[in-house]
Amino acid sequence: MQNAYLVAVQDAKQEDWQIRDHLTELRDLASDAGLMVLDTFVQRRQRPDRRTFIGSGKVEEIRSVLEPGDMVIFD
């Protein structure tokens, strides 16, 4: 089973429960696809970064837990 991490960007208009609902649905889809979701990350930003979708600090945070073959899925 391949490991996966889920990532979402939350803007000022979104409530915490909305992000939780999105990530729950994404987790279910990933599990149905045979992936083992190990963790989720939420980046609070006004808008996604054009290069990385999330900020550089969050990129490094996620990179620090990745092992070869792990998958990162963005909502």
Side-chain angles (χ1 to χ4, degrees), residues 7 9 16 20 23 26 41 47 51 59 67 75:
V7 181
V9 171
D16 290 346
R20 279 194 308 273
L23 288 172
L26 191 57
F41 297 89
R47 61 187 175 281
R51 291 182 310 123
V59 168
E67 298 290 332
D75 181 38

Side-chain angles (χ1 to χ4, degrees), residues 12-36:
K13 294 180 269 182
Q14 293 176 303
E15 300 289 335
D16 290 346
W17 67 266
Q18 292 172 304
I19 295 300
R20 279 194 308 273
D21 283 357
H22 286 230
L23 288 172
T24 297
E25 182 178 4
L26 191 57
R27 178 183 292 272
D28 291 344
L29 290 169
S31 294
D32 289 347
L35 302 171
M36 172 67 72

Side-chain angles (χ1 to χ4, degrees), residues 6-74:
L6 308 181
V7 181
V9 171
Q10 181 178 5
D11 67 28
K13 294 180 269 182
Q14 293 176 303
E15 300 289 335
D16 290 346
W17 67 266
Q18 292 172 304
I19 295 300
R20 279 194 308 273
D21 283 357
H22 286 230
L23 288 172
T24 297
E25 182 178 4
L26 191 57
R27 178 183 292 272
D28 291 344
L29 290 169
S31 294
D32 289 347
L35 302 171
M36 172 67 72
V37 176
L38 298 181
D39 204 354
T40 60
F41 297 89
V42 176
Q43 173 75 71
R44 288 175 176 80
R45 295 182 62 90
Q46 290 300 326
R47 61 187 175 281
D49 183 278
R50 287 183 176 168
R51 291 182 310 123
T52 60
F53 193 65
I54 54 179
S56 59
K58 190 63 73 174
V59 168
E60 290 305 316
E61 181 182 351
I62 295 168
R63 185 179 289 158
S64 74
V65 299
L66 292 178
E67 298 290 332
D70 287 351
M71 183 180 292
V72 179
I73 303 171
F74 289 82

